[in-house]
Each structure stands twice: as structure tokens, then as C-alpha cells.
């Protein structure tokens, strides 16, 4: 959460603002910059989105600067106000700090610093870092930051600049990501790779406890003991264009339209002669053959992808798969041994609770397989093995293409595991390869009709999503999408649970989104739909293209292609993304940056 960008080298004020703009999806309560110009430290910040900061800097954007740091905030300590916006400064106003994360001992530190005479002006935890650096500064900024970080408890990625030190900018990290890239114009650091793609495709990720000293022509990384470390470069093959809207009104819609390509890219190089191959884990074949239990750990949409995996794998063979949200898993007394496989799913690879769950598993001697989209992210570096989904950067806060990429890879993984245990699923493999075209055609042909249905339901403030079996996770995911971008109270339920309580909510003002595709549980779903109709609820049903049974029973239908039943999560998932998008768009909401949310949740 929150975004950090900074550089030292040839640049102008606008470069800081543009860098931040590419990180805005990380948090957008307020934004600010600090830069050095003719030996002066200038700090400007403003509540609101990066464009508010751009307006504030209007007329000064072209000013040449030698170094600067910038921040877009997702508030944790203190309301989103100009004063609480970053950068935060020390008493001398010579040190400016931007910070992602939470300083857990900030109150103790603030009390101690106050008693030493420091004066605080904000409610942020970040301000203690600026005063601590002031306390330890003896002319060497790197050393002051290094010593200050030793006093900090909690999580941080920080960028620090000092009015009197013109030739360096310092960055430090603990459990909150930072990436460094360099080119002929300077050296750059950011909280994710998105603003660095235009700098260089070869980047270095800071590790926990490390501190980087950025100079115009080089950068050096050290442990917090002061010991230098060798730089390890990762190559990023993301396309710069993929971080732009490409003619769509919102990134979310662009990313939905990328889904056919995302499925193909997730399959590339992983299918041969009707079989799934995973070079990344082939040395684990013996281990996989012997596993008895799988723990799947994830949050939000990634958690829903994990649930789809459970249902799909269980179709292939009975298997003990437990899917748990990371924020619960990490505090449980979990069972882990060498016959348990732990799968951590995270688009960003930076979700704090998922990382802590991984650390728990590893401390118990367990093995972790990561499913992620971000090369070099913390998860991929801490896990034992990683399967990338290769979806390209996902900018919209609401996850869409990453979900489709995750379930594609998870289907392959389930088939791969079952192959190792003796199964043969060449027909399934062939069906997966046909999906990109089916999905492309589905989006093109059904987009408008889904929009019309969304237009009709835009006035409702509640929605109940129901499904069964492998389509139950789709109900949860559809409800999450509607909730997070349209602010509609949407709940997802197993259809069979309705009569155990939630049905009490239903009436003509509380519509139902029912997933009633042609599968083994269709008749059971129809009974549930009739129960909701009997309570006067309006029902939108997602049905298979050839269905003739359900359409006459409900108010509206969304038709998805006729498919093998295990493939419905792909098209149902996309239909529900389009529905949520159109409801939010009709309400004229900020779809890519919904209120109170941020793209990667790097705080616990
Ligand atoms: O990066 P991750 O996959 O670990 O993120 C997990 C959730 O924070 C994320 O899926 C969130 O629920 C999205 N906003 C859903 O659209």
C-alpha cells in the first residue's frame, strides 16, 4: 500500500509526478514530493489524487532537479490531510522522508523524541523516522538512516533526502518492497517495477533489512550492519504499453479484454503432447507424488482462485485441500510436514498476511509453491518454487485478468499433480487450449447484453450471489467485484445455505445473481432459484448458451458458452467482472481506484 518513487540524476519535477502517477493504484489519499534544487529542499504535498499534486505544481513541472522522492498515500496513521501526507520532515526541515508500511513502536519513539525536544506536527508514524534520522545525523545521511532503522519495529520502505547532501538519496526496506533500476540519466527506486519499466528492464529488489545508497552514476546496497551486498539483477519482460490504458476508459475494462491473451500466455510452454509440463517444479515430482495434503493460502480474489483449485482438483481425485485466507492461517496451529504442499497465491507477491503465512510454514519446515504475477516479488523470493501467471501488470485495483491467469495456472497444476499420480487428462488439456478463443468470442458477443442487464440493476443497493460446487467460488468473487468497485452490498453464498438464514434478506428490493449453468448441480440450483423467486426477489441467472429451462423462470439471463462443466469458472468469472464494471460505470465511480482500497495490501 502506498507508492514510493525517487531518483537522483538528470530530471525535472514532472518526472516525480509522472512516476507517482504510475503508482497511484497503490494508494491515493494524498500525494507529495520533495526535491533538491540549488541546495534547497522543497517539499510539496496535497490531499487527493496525484492529479491534485500535479495542479499544485502547475507552472513548476518543467523545473530541472537533481534528486527527489515522491509518495502516494493510503492512510494508516492519521486522516488523509495535507499535514499527514508524505514527505514528512524533521525539526530542521532539512530531512524529508517518504514511507510505506507501519511503524509499530511509533508511539514509544515519538514520546522519547518529544522528551528530547523534537516537535511533531502530524499524526503519522512516518514522522518519527524523520526525527530519528535527525537525531542520528552527523553529516553522513546513509549512516543516520542505517542507525535509525535499527530503532524501528514494524514494516517500512523508506526514501530519504537531505538538503545538505546533494549527491545521494537513501532507501531502506523491511517487509515492504523497493526496487532499483539505473540508466544513463540516473538511478531510480520505486515501490514496484511499474514506473521503472521505462528506466531499465534489469532491476534489483532490496531484501529485508537492506539499505541502498543511490548516486547519480551508481547504487550500492548494504545490510543494516553496514556490510555491503552484491547486487542481483532480475530481468522484467513487461511491456511498457501494458501499463497504459490503450484507448479503454478504465484499466479494469482493458484488463478484462486482455483475458484471452492471459490464458494463452499462462499455457505457453506448459503443454506438450496432451500433457502438462512444469519445468519450474519438475525436480519436485517425487515429492508431489507423495503429498497427502495441500494448504492453499491467499487473500481476496486470490483466495477465490484457490477455492476454484480445490473444487477442480477434487474432480480429478479425492484430495485433502484446505483453502484458508492468509490473515487466519498465519495465527493457526497448522499442520505442516514433508507430505504437505503449501501453495501461496498472490498476484502482487507482496500481500503482508500471505507473506507471514509463508514464513510460518517455512519455520515449520514446510515447502511453499508460489503462484504469482510479479517477477522478483517478495513472495517469489521467499517461496521454494514459483509458477508465474505471466499476465503482465495489473493496474486496476479490482483484480480481473490476474484471477483468470491464476485459475489457468492452477488448473494446469492440478492436472500436473494428477498426471504424476497416474491420471491422464489429455482431453482436459486440449479443452484448456481452446479457451482463449472461446473467451474472446464470448466477451465480444456478450459484452453489450451484460451491460444492458447491469443498466437495469444499477439502482439496487443489495445483491445476493449464489452458486454451487465449482461455481460457488465464482459467486464469492462476483460479489467481491461488485462490492469493491460499485459499493453495492453484495454477498456470496453457497446456494444450499440460503435457507439456513440469508434467505430472510430477500424481497423485491434484494436481487439475486444465480449461477445456473449446465452442470451436475443444475437441478439443485433451479430449486434454489425457485425459493428466491417465491420471496419476490428479482433473479439474474447465468446460464449456458443452450439452456431453455432456466430463462423462463427468472427475470434476466446472462448466457455463457456451452462448456465442459469444469470450465465454467472462466466464463462465469468474466461475466461477473463485466456486470460489476458496468454497474460501477453507470454510477460514474472511480473504477480503477475504488475508495479505501489499494492494489497490494502490504500492511497486516
Ligand atoms: O496481490 P494479492 O493477490 O495477494 O492480493 C490479494 C487481495 O488483496 C486482492 O485480490 C483484492 O481482494 C483485490 N482488490 C480483489 O479485486
Amino acid at each position: 500500500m502506498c507508492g514510493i518513487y525517487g531518483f537522483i540524476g538528470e530530471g525535472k519535477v514532472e518526472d516525480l509526478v509522472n512516476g507517482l502517477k504510475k503508482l497511484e493504484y497503490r494508494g491515493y489519499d494524498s500525494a507529495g514530493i520533495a526535491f533538491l534544487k540549488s541546495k534547497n529542499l522543497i517539499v510539496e504535498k496535497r490531499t487527493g489524487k496525484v492529479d491534485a499534486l500535479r495542479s499544485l505544481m502547475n507552472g513548476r513541472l518543467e523545473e530541472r532537479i537533481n534528486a527527489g522522492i515522491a509518495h502516494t498515500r493510503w492512510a494508516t496513521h492519521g486522516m488523509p490531510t495535507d499535514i499527514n501526507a508524505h514527505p514528512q520532515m524533521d525539526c530542521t526541515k532539512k530531512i524529508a522522508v517518504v514511507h510505506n508500511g507501519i511503524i509499530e513502536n511509533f508511539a514509544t519513539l515519538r514520546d522519547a523524541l518529544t522528551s528530547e525536544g523534537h516537535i511533531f506536527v502530524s499524526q503519522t508514524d512516518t514522522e518519527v523516522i524523520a526525527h530519528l534520522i535527525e537525531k542520528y545525523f552527523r553529516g553522513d545521511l546513509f549512516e543516520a538512516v542505517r542507525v535509525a532503522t535499527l530503532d524501528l519495529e514494524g514494516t517500512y520502505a523508506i526514501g530519504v533526502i537531505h538538503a545538505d547532501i546533494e549527491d545521494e538519496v537513501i532507501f531502506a526496506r523491511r517487509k515492504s518492497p523497493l526496487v532499483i533500476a539505473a540508466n544513463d540519466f540516473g538511478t531510480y527506486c520505486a515501490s514496484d517495477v511499474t514506473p521503472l519499466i521505462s528506466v531499465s528492464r534489469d532491476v534489483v529488489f532490496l531484501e529485508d533489512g537492506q539499505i541502498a545508497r543511490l548516486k547519480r552514476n551508481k547504487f550500492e546496497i548494504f545490510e543494516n550492519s553496514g556490510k555491503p551486498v552484491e547486487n542481483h539483477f532480475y530481468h522484467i519482460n513487461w511491456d511498457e504499453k501494458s501499463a497504459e490504458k490503450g484507448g479503454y476508459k478504465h484499466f479494469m475494462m482493458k484488463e478484462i479484454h486482455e483475458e484471452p491473451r492471459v490464458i494463452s500466455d499462462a499455457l505457453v510452454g506448459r503443454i506438450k503432447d496432451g500433457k502438462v509440463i512444469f519445468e519450474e517444479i519438475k525436480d519436485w515430482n517425487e515429492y508431489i507424488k507423495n503429498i497427502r495434503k495441500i494448504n492453499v493460502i491467499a487473500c481476496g480474489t486470490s483466495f477465490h482462485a484457490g477455492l476454484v483449485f480445490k473444487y477442480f482438483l477434487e474432480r480429478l481425485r479425492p484430495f485433502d485441500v484446505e483453502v484458508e485466507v492468509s490473515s487466519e492461517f498465519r495465527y493457526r496451529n497448522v499442520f505442516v510436514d514433508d507430505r504437505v504442499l503449501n501453495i501461496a497465491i498472490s498476484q502482487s507477491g507482496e500481500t503482508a498476511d500471505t507473506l507471514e503465512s509463508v514464513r510460518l510454514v517455512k519455520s515449520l519446515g514446510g515447502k511453499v509453491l508460489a503462484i504469482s504475477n510479479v517477477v522478483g516479488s517478495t513472495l517469489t523470493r521467499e517461496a521454494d518454487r514459483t509458477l508465474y501467471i505471466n499476465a503482465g501488470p495489473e493496474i486496476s485495483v479490482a483484480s480481473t485478468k490476474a484471477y483468470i491467469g491464476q485459475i489457468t495456472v492452477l488448473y494446469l497444476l492440478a492436472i500436473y499433480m494428477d498426471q504424476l499420480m497416474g491420471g491422464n487428462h489429455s482431453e482436459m488439456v486440449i479443452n484448456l487450449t481452446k479457451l482463449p478463443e472461446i473467451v474472446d468470442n464470448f466477451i465480444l458477443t456478450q459484452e453489450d447484453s451484460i451491460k444492458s442487464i447491469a443498466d437495469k440493476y444499477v439502482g439496487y443497493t443489495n445483491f445476493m450471489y449464489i452458486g454451487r460446487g465449482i461455481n460457488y467460488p465464482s459467486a464469492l468473487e462476483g460479489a467481491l467485484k461488485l462490492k469493491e468497485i460499485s459499493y453495492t452490498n453484495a454477498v456470496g453464498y453457497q446456494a444450499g445455505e440460503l435457507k439456513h438464514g440469508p434467505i430472510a434478506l430477500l424481497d423485491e428490493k434484494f436481487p439475486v445473481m444465480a449461477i445456473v449453468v449446465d452442470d451436475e448441480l443444475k437441478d439443485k440450483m433451479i430449486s434454489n432459484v425457485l425459493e428466491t423467486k417465491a420471496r419476490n426477489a428479482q433473479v439474474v441467472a447465468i446460464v449456458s448458451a443452450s439452456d431453455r429451462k432456466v430463462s423462463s423462470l427468472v427475470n434476466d439471463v446472462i448466457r455463457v458458452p456451452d462448456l465442459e462443466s469444469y470450465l465454467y469458472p472462466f466464463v462465469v468469472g468474466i461475466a461477473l467482472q463485466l456486470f460489476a464494471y458496468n454497474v460501477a460505470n453507470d454510477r460514474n465511480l472511480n473504477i480503477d481506484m475504488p475508495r479505501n482500497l489499494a492494489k497490494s495490501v502490504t500492511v497486516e
Side-chain angles (χ1 to χ4, degrees):
M1 294 181 147
C2 307
I4 288 179
Y5 180 70
F7 72 86
I8 180 158
E10 287 172 40
K12 48 188 184 174
V13 170
E14 190 172 21
D15 296 337
L16 288 175
V17 179
N18 289 344
L20 269 196
K21 188 72 190 162
K22 291 184 183 160
L23 288 170
E24 196 171 29
Y25 68 114
R26 297 272 167 182
Y28 30 80
D29 293 335
S30 52
I33 52 179
F35 53 92
L36 294 180
K37 194 170 160 51
S38 316
K39 301 205 169 182
N40 286 319
L41 177 63
I42 296 158
V43 174
E44 301 285 357
K45 47 193 191 169
R46 173 150 287 188
T47 314
K49 299 211 161 57
V50 173
D51 284 341
L53 177 70
R54 191 185 291 278
S55 306
L56 177 71
M57 298 310 293
N58 203 8
R60 299 176 61 190
L61 292 167
E62 290 300 314
E63 278 179 28
R64 309 298 311 176
I65 57 173
N66 308 326
I69 53 175
H71 190 262
T72 175
R73 181 170 184 244
W74 186 89
T76 56
H77 291 62
M79 297 282 286
T81 59
D82 288 355
I83 287 180
N84 288 336
H86 302 196
Q88 290 292 322
M89 301 182 83
D90 68 319
C91 299
T92 66
K93 305 292 176 221
K94 287 193 165 196
I95 299 167
V97 176
V98 291
H99 165 225
N100 292 352
I102 294 178
I103 303 304
E104 286 165 3
N105 60 337
F106 89 99
T108 317
L109 290 172
R110 191 184 51 198
D111 290 350
L113 287 160
T114 304
S115 67
E116 290 166 21
H118 291 263
I119 295 169
F120 284 77
V121 297
S122 79
Q123 298 157 311
T124 64
D125 51 341
T126 304
E127 197 180 349
V128 298
I129 306 173
H131 291 280
L132 268 182
I133 296 170
E134 176 190 4
K135 172 176 168 178
Y136 294 121
F137 183 70
R138 305 276 181 277
D140 181 342
L141 184 59
F142 172 84
E143 190 55 16
V145 174
R146 187 187 75 77
V147 177
T149 59
L150 300 177
D151 288 354
L152 302 177
E153 288 168 17
T155 60
Y156 58 80
I158 53 175
V160 189
I161 195 165
H162 192 295
D164 297 340
I165 314 279
E166 282 181 281
D167 62 344
E168 66 186 36
V169 183
I170 308 295
F171 289 87
R173 147 185 188 153
R174 188 196 291 155
K175 295 189 179 175
S176 192
L178 281 174
V179 199
I180 301 173
N183 63 17
D184 290 344
F185 302 101
T187 313
Y188 304 75
C189 185
S191 50
D192 76 51
V193 293
T194 326
L196 301 181
I197 301 172
S198 56
V199 173
S200 171
R201 297 293 163 83
D202 296 308
V203 302
V204 173
F205 292 86
L206 277 195
E207 301 286 350
D208 278 347
Q210 292 184 344
I211 307 175
R213 180 193 274 146
L214 269 58
K215 300 250 185 203
R216 164 77 180 76
N217 296 318
K218 65 172 185 181
F219 63 91
E220 298 159 302
I221 301 178
F222 302 84
E223 302 293 356
N224 59 8
S225 60
K227 184 176 160 232
V229 294
E230 212 176 299
N231 299 338
H232 177 64
F233 283 88
Y234 284 79
H235 185 73
I236 307 293
N237 55 13
W238 284 0
D239 175 5
E240 211 179 324
K241 286 261 172 291
S242 54
E244 293 167 8
K245 275 192 206 148
Y248 288 92
K249 185 173 173 191
H250 297 103
F251 278 109
M252 180 174 174
M253 193 49 129
K254 178 190 174 224
E255 287 161 2
I256 292 173
H257 278 262
E258 286 173 353
E259 290 174 331
R261 198 264 307 150
V262 166
I263 299 172
S264 313
D265 287 355
L267 297 175
V268 163
R270 288 166 170 169
I271 290 177
K272 197 172 171 197
D273 303 329
K275 286 203 176 317
V276 176
I277 48 168
F278 271 123
E279 287 298 324
E280 303 93 321
I281 49 172
K282 71 174 186 212
D283 61 329
W284 269 14
N285 287 356
E286 283 310 309
Y287 159 56
I288 289 174
K289 276 185 205 167
N290 288 310
I291 57 173
R292 287 285 168 271
K293 180 171 193 256
I294 300 174
N295 290 320
V296 181
I297 318 153
C299 299
T301 290
S302 298
F303 168 69
H304 299 151
L307 285 174
V308 175
F309 170 74
K310 172 187 167 83
Y311 279 98
F312 180 64
L313 181 59
E314 283 176 1
R315 279 186 181 217
L316 306 184
R317 71 173 58 224
F319 214 96
D320 185 3
V321 186
E322 190 180 334
V323 189
E324 176 76 286
V325 289
S326 317
S327 53
E328 289 298 319
F329 185 91
R330 59 177 290 198
Y331 298 112
R332 284 177 41 204
N333 195 6
V334 289
F335 179 76
V336 171
D337 72 5
D338 56 3
R339 297 189 77 183
V340 174
L341 171 64
N342 304 282
I343 302 177
I345 311 171
S346 173
Q347 185 284 130
S348 61
E350 300 295 351
T351 299
D353 284 317
T354 303
L355 292 174
E356 287 304 327
S357 297
V358 165
R359 289 166 192 149
L360 169 69
V361 163
K362 296 205 72 172
S363 72
L364 296 170
K367 282 197 170 69
V368 177
L369 174 63
I371 312 287
S372 184
N373 191 31
V374 181
V375 174
S377 56
T378 308
L379 173 63
T380 66
R381 284 177 289 127
E382 295 196 12
D384 298 283
R385 298 285 182 283
T386 299
L387 301 178
Y388 286 106
I389 62 172
N390 300 327
E394 188 179 64
I395 306 294
S396 172
V397 166
S399 185
T400 54
K401 67 173 182 175
Y403 176 67
I404 295 298
Q406 285 166 342
I407 60 176
T408 308
V409 170
L410 288 164
Y411 271 52
L412 290 175
L413 178 63
I415 293 172
Y416 182 78
M417 291 172 62
D418 200 55
Q419 276 172 196
L420 290 173
M421 295 170 190
N424 181 349
H425 302 290
S426 51
E427 204 181 308
M428 277 184 171
V429 170
I430 292 166
N431 287 337
L432 278 176
T433 62
K434 292 181 184 159
L435 263 182
E437 201 180 329
I438 294 171
V439 164
D440 200 21
N441 193 39
F442 165 62
I443 296 175
L444 286 176
T445 56
Q446 297 304 310
E447 200 177 352
D448 289 345
S449 82
I450 296 173
K451 178 180 179 339
S452 314
I453 295 171
D455 293 348
K456 191 169 160 190
Y457 287 87
V458 69
Y460 289 90
T461 49
N462 297 297
F463 238 105
M464 175 88 71
Y465 283 59
I466 55 172
R468 280 176 178 264
I470 202 165
N471 291 307
Y472 159 58
S474 306
L476 296 179
E477 176 57 14
L480 176 64
K481 284 287 92 78
L482 187 69
K483 192 160 28 199
E484 68 180 332
I485 61 168
S486 79
Y487 317 142
T488 306
N489 172 35
V491 284
Y493 264 103
Q494 305 91 335
E497 271 293 291
L498 271 190
K499 55 177 109 31
H500 298 286
I503 201 165
L505 293 165
L506 299 183
D507 62 14
E508 66 286 353
K509 295 196 198 98
F510 205 128
V512 173
M513 176 70 75
I515 305 166
V516 204
V517 289
D518 287 353
D519 66 6
E520 308 74 16
L521 296 170
K522 181 173 178 179
D523 287 337
K524 301 279 178 211
M525 275 304 303
I526 291 177
S527 305
N528 297 130
V529 165
L530 292 173
E531 288 161 11
T532 68
K533 287 301 297 172
R535 272 76 190 176
N536 285 331
Q538 305 279 307
V539 178
V540 184
I542 300 191
V543 300
S544 304
S546 57
D547 171 82
R548 296 288 164 266
K549 219 167 164 182
V550 182
S551 27
S552 57
L553 305 174
V554 299
N555 302 83
D556 293 281
V557 291
I558 294 174
R559 290 193 183 273
V560 294
D562 290 314
L563 291 170
E564 296 293 332
S565 60
Y566 58 85
L567 290 177
Y568 279 115
F570 289 88
V571 286
V572 170
I574 296 169
L576 293 176
Q577 292 167 359
L578 286 167
F579 179 79
Y581 173 88
N582 283 295
V583 171
N585 193 39
D586 285 349
R587 292 185 186 166
N588 215 8
L589 296 170
N590 190 342
I591 292 179
D592 288 332
M593 289 181 269
R595 70 184 179 206
N596 305 339
L597 297 180
K599 184 65 185 166
S600 66
V601 184
T602 53
V603 292
E604 296 170 7

